[in-house]
Amino acid sequence: RAARVINAHAALPMLTAMGVSFSITQACITSFTATYMVVQHGQSLAQAGLYMSVLLATSTLARVFFGWLADRLGSGLVLLSALALGAGGAILLLVWSAAASHWLVYGCMALVGATSMGWNGVHMAELARVSPATLIGEVTSSASLFGFIGSICGPLAFALIAGRTGSFTWPFILIAGQLIIFGAVALVIMRRTPG
């Protein structure tokens, strides 16, 4: 039934897929970033906690800002696509610079937090906007169901890949890559689909 409801509007499957992609990313970022900094880069627990506090604080501010920005742009899907591309790039930048100076890592954490965790309100509003009026509750709950599946399966896959490779680098690159792919595909589909 959830899959049928998601097909109630042409944009809903892509919006749902973007939500799953972001859910995977957010769950992995919150679950593994502190451990990554401690285990792979020798940071203290206190320093990793400071990095995470910057990540979470910027994500909180970003949710408000991106809600405002989506209203000005008039398209949540365009903003979500841009956020997917930006978040993928920010995660790759974090992996590349994680051993650099603390200030550069703080900047990367702020970018990752804002782009990979500031998406949820925009996503829910866009789901409601494109849903048929009588199905708004069912569409948002169905999309959330798929998102929660991503939140559970994403960290499991991340942990398996990290265990197999002995490194957090490849799982972070993979979650960045899947976000970039979804963002790019959504933009291509929007350009090819009138209205």
Side-chain angles (χ1 to χ4, degrees):
R1 176 169 172 76
R4 282 200 315 272
V5 167
I6 292 302
N7 284 312
H9 185 280
L12 287 173
M14 177 54 70
L15 274 168
T16 302
M18 295 272 296
V20 172
S21 179
F22 273 113
S23 293
I24 289 168
T25 304
Q26 182 171 327
C28 291
I29 291 294
T30 55
S31 298
F32 297 106
T33 302
T35 305
Y36 169 63
M37 297 308 294
V38 171
V39 172
Q40 198 155 320
H41 293 287
Q43 300 293 333
S44 68
L45 289 173
Q47 185 62 56
L50 288 172
Y51 287 149
M52 290 302 293
S53 67
V54 168
L55 186 142
L56 294 171
T58 54
S59 74
T60 302
L61 297 173
R63 287 175 190 231
V64 176
F65 172 73
F66 290 137
W68 173 85
L69 184 58
D71 286 343
R72 298 305 170 274
L73 291 174
S75 174
L77 188 52
V78 169
L79 179 56
L80 288 169
S81 300
L83 284 176
L85 295 172
I91 293 166
L92 293 175
L93 182 62
L94 175 63
V95 169
W96 175 71
S97 63
S101 75
H102 289 308
W103 293 111
L104 182 57
V105 178
Y106 280 126
C108 290
M109 290 288 181
L111 285 173
V112 170
T115 55
S116 70
M117 298 173 68
W119 62 277
N120 195 274
V122 174
H123 182 252
M124 295 302 281
E126 189 68 4
L127 285 168
R129 187 183 71 79
V130 301
S131 297
T134 58
L135 294 175
I136 290 174
E138 290 183 68
V139 166
T140 54
S141 63
S142 296
S144 296
L145 169 68
F146 290 113
F148 285 128
I149 291 170
S151 294
I152 293 167
C153 295
L156 290 173
F158 188 108
L160 287 171
I161 295 166
R164 291 278 182 171
T165 62
S167 169
F168 287 88
T169 302
W170 277 111
F172 275 120
I173 290 172
L174 289 173
I175 63 167
Q178 60 92 25
L179 260 182
I180 291 169
I181 289 168
F182 274 107
V185 167
L187 287 174
V188 168
I189 289 172
M190 280 186 285
R191 288 192 67 177
R192 291 184 177 175
T193 308

